Amino acid sequence: MTQLWHTLASGEVLRALETTEQGLSKGEAARRLAVYGENRLPEAKTEGYPTIFLRQFASPLVYLLFVAAVIVYLTGGRGDALIILFVLVFNSIVGTIQEGRAQNALRALKRFAETNATVVRDGQELIVRDAEIVPGDVIILAEGAKVPADARVIMSRTLRADEASLTGESEPVTKRTEPVRGERASLGDRISMVFKGTNVTSGSGRAVIVATGIDTEIGKIAQKLSGIDTEMPLKENVKNLSRAIMYVVGIGGALLFLVGLAFGNAPATMFSIVISLAVSVIPEGLPIVMTLVLATGVYRMGKRNVLVKKLQAVEALGQARIIAVDKTGTITKNELMVERVWTPEALFSVSGAGYEPVGAFTLDGSVVDAANHPELLFAGKLAAYSASAQTMYSSEEKRWRISGDPTEAALLVFGEKTGFTKAELEHESALLSEMPFDYRLKYRATLHRDGDKNIATVTGAPESVLALCDSIRVNGKDVSFHKDWRHNAEAAIQGLSKEGLRVIAYATKRTEHKELEERMLDRLSLGGLYAMRDALRPEARDAVARAEAAGIRVVMITGDHKLTGAALARDVGILREGDEVLTGEDIEKMNDVELAHALERATVFARVTPDHKLRIINAYRKRGDITAMTGDGVNDAPSLVAADLGVAMGGIGTEVAKEAADILLMDDNFGSIVTAVEEGRSIYKTIKKVVLHLFSTSVGKAFTIIAAIFIGFPLPLLAVQIIWLNFVTDTFLDVSLAMEPKEKGLLSESFRGTGRYIIDRLMVVRMLFMTAPMVVGTLWVFSTAIGPDLTKAGTLAMTTLAVSQWFNAWNCRSETESLFRMNPFGNVYLIAATCVVALLQVLALTVPFLQSMLHTMPLSLSEWLLCIGVATSVIFTEEIRKFFHRRMLQNRVQVSPITA
């Protein structure tokens, strides 16, 4: 029944809750507190660092590496097994540090909503902790107060509440006592209700508590958050890749064991070979190198005011194909601004940014001076008269803040732009009386001293103000408001409304009255219209254009009405010809399949609730679209969690949104998202380079062993030599590839994201071109020294593979660009790594301790030159592939305009 409180009359609500306007008794309140519990939201179960640390090992790849460590240990490679374990522990420590401050969205919701409340008990007003509020309590609501629980309004004196963080609507909502029709009315339409965690912006009133704690609207959001679990694309891809490796190693190893036995090999020999093959295929260095790549990206993003809370979020942002932006606070600044002023003589445009009192006026495209246009000065003066809000500049936040109603703040700023400061104006023309905005009347009125007579100023809904007018101010004089003038005014209202502007009419009356009364506000003279809009963020249009150019589709989700949302989305470049606007009501009528189909055409979602947002995000994910969601309010929290990537505003965002998100924009700059996308794509490309090098060399070693078995050669590599190549040679080169500079064209629409696996078809083709010369060259060099003692042959094979890996790292720098055309000093880390691994290989062949451990021996200069010469074939085969790949891309570019 709780969702129907807004439909009941005040008396019915009081009777149903067994209370009165005098509130509960203290004894009854204590009894209900024992029954319903404290007015708190449940805190999320916190995990200690040991639990978080152990959870880092819950990955198929980690399981594989543990198996490899056990196998290596059992075959005598104790030192190698310890190295594998060190890698796993180090990677888990880094993950624990990053995720130790994981999302505590439920606790953030509690901190956001907690406050004191003024209640009526036994007919007396008391201040109590909001945790002690119970259903049936009558609370006092005053300007600036935070609502402690969901309540039904039973008395309103122009009571208005800011519900932007809950509903997404930028305008404060006027509350009334009359019931609201419609059981399914959205939160924004339940104007007879106030909700926990929202703020009273003006007026006063009383309300009876109908829901506390988890039963409130914020509580329902808390319940949804606890049940949402989303895996990021990279984590899911690594899991899929690990499964694939596990199947390959398990099935391939079993088949190889059986084939080897069929070829007459001893079981012990084949078991050793299978172990060597498994060790060669499992990428032991992948976790630590991937962590390094992501950590480097986190550092670079931090320098760009993008704070990453989870390492995998960096790469996920680079793959995003949908960015669902919340209008209020993301596309707009949540700051109303007068953008147009219509007078009978002209239509003026006003520039500026939010509540900053700086801007220019244009008329017919030309900048004009307000001093030369009396009608504009008059509009500015009346705007200053009508405003009771205040503005102030926060040097800490570097932004303008307001106290009071945003609409009146917008009028105040407009007045200052025309040269009227409210304080100075009221010093000359004292405020005698005022009537706050009244929902029933739909206007606000002030009375100021003005010369010999007083002037009453009325601002409000156009239909209400025009109904009170019998004249219109033209060229400084009041003339009859005949049907032609009325038609012009109504046409202006309709035209401005179609642009998504909020229209306010203003009118005046000269009078000798010293007190305002409703009955005296008739026979007014219409002055004109103010048309205001929630100010666009200055970077919004450019950011949307950059995102679209990068192949990312931007959609807008808002709690505002359809017309307002559509106009703003069209202005910022999100809504285009042929796109559709879906409302919350439309979504309610669709099942999940129909909604997923509708997403093809829809780019704006208006008048939506948190439930609708969640359905939209889930529908995108079911379609396979990697989706980033931006937001700053409580109502955004479920969808921030559900999206592949949640992005919150670090400045204006609520604690709920910040804790629920994966990434925070510390400068609240929507443009930073696109910049972060570029960084994410760079990281994605870097990960692919590292994975390509890891797997091409691992596959090269594996096929070298397999080919040797089928040819009838002895085992060319020992398990300990494979470990050396995997951990020493691969690790240094992989780390240096992780430092590869950012490529060009990352924000082009042609950028390709991953599919189910990190390794795509092009990578498979590249591996074939890389591994073929490795296998053939290594086996040929090995065959030249096969004899009773395989130490020399094994050393040659190991060295040839090692040098091939050095050269192959340079191959991996680019998919298309020739190695010989790239700047060799573009990655100094790769130069240093190549020198280091070359030195280590020399030591492996010359230091007695390493010789004994690795079963190697020194090579002559001619033998070194042989290994190096054969290994260069890795470069030339990849250069041939790159040449034909570039030709294919050029042909596509030439053909596409013709086919278009």
Side-chain angles (χ1 to χ4, degrees):
M1 182 178 177
T2 53
Q3 73 266 28
L4 304 179
W5 293 118
H6 61 281
T7 66
L8 302 178
S10 302
E12 293 178 291
V13 175
L14 292 171
R15 286 193 294 274
L17 293 168
E18 298 181 0
T19 188
T20 68
E21 293 187 6
Q22 300 304 309
L24 300 170
S25 67
K26 294 179 182 179
E28 178 63 16
R31 188 191 70 80
R32 295 192 184 191
L33 184 62
V35 173
Y36 293 103
E38 289 193 334
N39 177 33
R40 295 182 182 274
L41 298 175
E43 295 188 22
K45 294 181 180 179
T46 57
E47 294 179 326
Y49 278 99
T51 304
I52 298 173
F53 176 77
L54 292 175
R55 195 177 64 245
Q56 306 302 311
F57 293 95
S59 166
L61 182 58
V62 173
Y63 302 152
L64 283 174
L65 294 178
F66 267 124
V67 172
V70 172
I71 293 174
V72 171
Y73 180 83
L74 294 175
T75 56
R78 297 183 179 181
D80 304 320
L82 289 176
I83 292 175
I84 296 176
L85 292 176
F86 170 78
V87 170
L88 295 177
V89 172
F90 177 80
N91 183 66
S92 296
I93 290 173
V94 174
T96 301
I97 293 172
Q98 287 292 328
E99 296 186 23
R101 300 173 182 175
Q103 303 170 44
N104 291 312
L106 298 182
R107 289 195 299 173
L109 279 162
K110 172 180 172 291
R111 292 195 303 271
F112 173 76
E114 196 171 74
T115 183
N116 291 329
T118 302
V119 301
V120 179
R121 287 180 181 169
D122 292 325
Q124 297 180 337
E125 294 185 11
L126 303 173
I127 297 177
V128 301
R129 294 185 304 117
D130 72 341
E132 299 174 8
I133 295 290
V134 295
D137 263 328
V138 174
I139 58 173
I140 306 296
L141 299 173
E143 184 173 339
K146 183 171 283 188
V147 180
D150 290 2
R152 172 67 165 83
V153 178
I154 59 175
M155 190 269 285
S156 174
R157 292 175 180 165
T158 64
L159 179 68
R160 305 187 79 194
D162 179 4
E163 299 177 346
S165 63
L166 187 64
T167 66
E169 292 191 45
S170 56
E171 283 293 307
V173 180
T174 300
K175 299 298 180 178
R176 66 179 185 181
T177 59
E178 293 82 3
V180 176
R181 294 182 179 179
E183 296 181 4
R184 292 190 175 184
S186 66
L187 293 183
D189 290 330
R190 297 180 191 180
I191 57 178
S192 60
M193 298 285 296
V194 288
F195 301 102
K196 182 178 177 69
T198 61
N199 297 285
V200 177
T201 58
S202 62
S204 62
R206 291 191 178 197
V208 58
I209 301 297
V210 298
T212 59
I214 201 70
D215 295 323
T216 62
E217 293 301 327
I218 284 183
K220 295 173 184 177
I221 293 175
Q223 288 179 310
K224 290 186 177 69
L225 289 179
S226 62
I228 299 172
D229 183 25
T230 305
E231 280 197 349
M232 293 187 184
L234 179 62
K235 187 175 181 180
E236 190 173 354
N237 281 335
V238 170
K239 184 181 290 185
N240 291 330
L241 180 61
S242 301
R243 289 197 189 101
I245 295 172
M246 192 160 47
Y247 292 139
V248 169
V249 170
I251 298 173
L255 290 175
L256 182 62
F257 184 81
L258 296 175
V259 170
L261 293 179
F263 272 76
N265 293 300
T269 302
M270 288 310 304
F271 183 71
S272 175
I273 290 172
V274 170
I275 290 175
S276 300
L277 178 63
V279 172
S280 68
V281 171
I282 297 173
E284 294 90 346
L286 181 58
I288 191 170
V289 174
M290 191 167 289
T291 299
L292 175 63
V293 173
L294 294 174
T296 303
V298 168
Y299 173 75
R300 287 203 302 260
M301 284 187 170
K303 294 170 66 177
R304 294 177 175 233
N305 293 315
V306 180
L307 178 62
V308 179
K309 295 172 60 181
K310 289 186 178 180
L311 287 179
Q312 293 91 343
V314 188
E315 186 269 348
L317 186 56
Q319 294 191 60
R321 287 298 178 184
I322 301 289
I323 296 181
V325 297
D326 182 57
K327 180 190 78 71
T328 305
T330 304
I331 292 295
T332 68
K333 300 174 71 175
N334 197 15
E335 298 176 356
L336 284 173
M337 187 189 82
V338 175
E339 193 174 280
R340 305 277 183 86
V341 177
W342 177 87
T343 69
E345 296 88 354
L347 176 62
F348 297 91
S349 295
V350 187
S351 67
Y355 297 123
E356 183 178 5
V358 177
F361 305 99
T362 56
L363 178 62
D364 298 329
S366 301
V367 177
V368 297
D369 188 345
N372 297 326
H373 293 271
E375 69 275 28
L376 187 57
L377 288 177
F378 186 71
K381 184 177 181 179
L382 295 189
Y385 276 156
S386 302
S388 64
Q390 294 181 340
T391 61
M392 63 212 76
Y393 182 75
S394 172
S395 56
E396 292 183 0
E397 301 179 19
K398 296 182 179 179
R399 60 189 296 259
W400 287 86
R401 284 197 167 276
I402 69 166
S403 173
D405 184 83
T407 301
E408 294 180 25
L411 293 176
L412 176 71
V413 172
F414 169 69
E416 292 178 351
K417 289 178 181 179
T418 58
F420 293 100
T421 303
K422 184 174 181 63
E424 295 179 355
L425 191 63
E426 291 194 343
H427 180 72
E428 299 175 359
S429 302
L431 175 64
L432 302 176
S433 179
E434 66 178 325
M435 289 173 55
F437 182 87
D438 183 272
Y439 181 84
R440 178 178 57 85
L441 300 175
K442 294 184 179 180
Y443 62 73
R444 162 181 169 75
T446 63
L447 184 65
H448 287 80
R449 191 182 307 280
D450 189 46
D452 296 336
K453 284 192 176 183
N454 302 326
I455 181 171
T457 303
V458 177
T459 54
E463 63 274 16
S464 299
V465 176
L466 263 64
L468 301 174
C469 296
D470 67 351
S471 62
I472 184 170
R473 183 183 174 89
V474 181
N475 295 323
K477 297 181 180 180
D478 295 338
V479 300
S480 174
F481 195 31
H482 53 71
K483 64 177 183 179
D484 290 337
W485 278 120
R486 189 173 294 272
H487 173 75
N488 290 344
E490 290 174 348
I493 293 169
Q494 186 176 12
L496 293 170
S497 297
K498 285 184 177 179
E499 295 182 35
L501 295 166
R502 182 165 180 258
V503 182
I504 304 292
Y506 61 94
T508 61
K509 180 179 182 179
R510 295 283 180 175
T511 179
E512 295 181 353
H513 287 81
K514 295 182 180 180
E515 288 288 336
L516 282 174
E517 296 179 14
E518 182 182 337
R519 61 183 177 81
M520 63 165 281
L521 294 177
D522 62 351
R523 302 177 65 84
L524 302 179
S525 175
L526 179 67
L529 306 170
Y530 304 116
M532 54 187 69
R533 190 194 304 273
D534 191 356
L536 275 180
R537 287 188 170 274
E539 73 279 358
R541 290 189 185 92
D542 178 64
V544 170
R546 289 173 61 202
E548 295 284 352
I552 302 172
R553 189 180 178 200
V554 181
V555 300
M556 190 180 81
I557 302 177
T558 177
D560 279 344
H561 288 283
K562 182 176 182 179
L563 183 62
T564 303
L568 187 139
R570 190 177 295 108
D571 186 25
V572 82
I574 293 176
L575 184 65
R576 298 180 178 177
E577 191 70 31
D579 292 345
E580 292 186 2
V581 180
L582 288 183
T583 64
E585 187 177 348
D586 297 330
I587 295 172
E588 287 282 355
K589 297 175 182 178
M590 299 179 183
N591 58 36
D592 291 344
V593 175
E594 292 170 334
L595 178 58
H597 182 70
L599 295 183
E600 288 281 355
R601 305 176 303 278
T603 54
V604 176
F605 304 90
R607 206 56 169 169
V608 296
T609 66
D611 286 339
H612 298 145
K613 286 186 179 183
L614 196 56
R615 283 194 64 195
I616 293 166
I617 295 300
N618 286 332
Y620 274 121
R621 296 190 70 238
K622 287 179 181 178
R623 284 165 48 91
D625 295 321
I626 296 177
T627 305
M629 168 73 190
T630 74
D632 63 346
V634 176
N635 63 313
D636 300 319
S639 46
L640 287 173
V641 175
D644 294 295
L645 190 74
V647 183
M649 301 295 150
I652 65 172
T654 61
E655 288 300 312
V656 182
K658 293 177 186 178
E659 291 293 336
D662 306 301
I663 286 179
L664 301 182
L665 301 182
M666 302 311 295
D667 58 356
D668 288 347
N669 189 331
F670 177 47
S672 296
I673 297 178
V674 183
T675 302
V677 166
E678 185 178 19
E679 285 289 350
R681 290 186 174 185
S682 177
I683 290 166
Y684 163 70
K685 296 286 283 188
T686 301
I687 289 175
K688 290 190 68 175
K689 293 171 186 177
V690 172
V691 170
L692 175 63
H693 183 255
L694 271 171
F695 279 89
S696 60
T697 54
S698 295
V699 171
K701 292 189 283 283
F703 275 97
T704 298
I705 294 172
I706 294 172
I709 293 172
F710 281 93
I711 294 173
F713 282 178
L715 197 64
L717 293 172
L718 302 177
V720 68
Q721 293 173 336
I722 294 172
I723 291 291
W724 172 268
L725 293 174
N726 284 2
F727 277 114
V728 178
T729 305
D730 280 355
T731 300
F732 279 100
L733 295 172
D734 290 333
V735 169
S736 65
L737 278 175
M739 304 299 178
E740 185 69 20
K742 189 187 304 180
E743 292 185 11
K744 298 178 180 178
L746 291 174
L747 288 180
S748 66
E749 193 170 356
S750 60
F751 177 86
R752 297 189 308 274
T754 67
R756 186 179 177 189
Y757 300 101
I758 295 176
I759 300 175
D760 56 23
R761 187 171 65 176
L762 178 59
M763 289 177 69
V764 173
V765 173
R766 295 186 72 186
M767 284 184 197
L768 293 176
F769 277 85
M770 292 171 177
T771 57
M774 287 186 199
V775 174
V776 174
T778 300
L779 290 177
W780 180 76
V781 173
F782 178 72
S783 67
T784 62
I786 293 178
D789 184 3
L790 292 175
T791 304
K792 170 73 76 173
T795 302
L796 286 170
M798 175 186 171
T799 303
T800 302
L801 271 175
V803 179
S804 297
Q805 289 177 222
W806 308 347
F807 293 153
N808 199 38
W810 290 83
N811 276 338
C812 294
R813 291 186 66 194
S814 174
E815 292 181 352
T816 57
E817 192 171 355
S818 170
L819 172 63
F820 303 106
R821 301 186 67 176
M822 297 180 70
N823 180 8
F825 299 102
N827 188 344
V828 294
Y829 299 99
L830 185 55
I831 296 175
T834 305
C835 295
V836 169
V837 294
L839 176 61
L840 290 174
Q841 186 65 24
V842 171
L843 295 176
L845 273 55
T846 56
V847 175
F849 167 72
L850 293 176
Q851 287 178 339
S852 175
M853 183 180 73
L854 298 173
H855 305 282
T856 59
M857 61 180 294
L859 296 179
S860 65
L861 178 60
S862 61
E863 289 169 336
W864 267 102
L865 292 175
L866 173 65
C867 294
I868 293 172
V870 171
T872 56
S873 60
V874 173
I875 294 177
F876 293 109
T877 53
E878 175 64 0
E879 284 297 313
I880 292 172
R881 186 208 63 80
K882 286 182 180 180
F883 173 78
F884 285 104
H885 188 71
R886 288 193 300 271
R887 291 284 298 271
M888 181 182 67
L889 292 178
Q890 290 173 357
N891 290 336
R892 285 181 182 175
V893 173
Q894 292 173 357
V895 170
S896 58
I898 299 176
T899 57

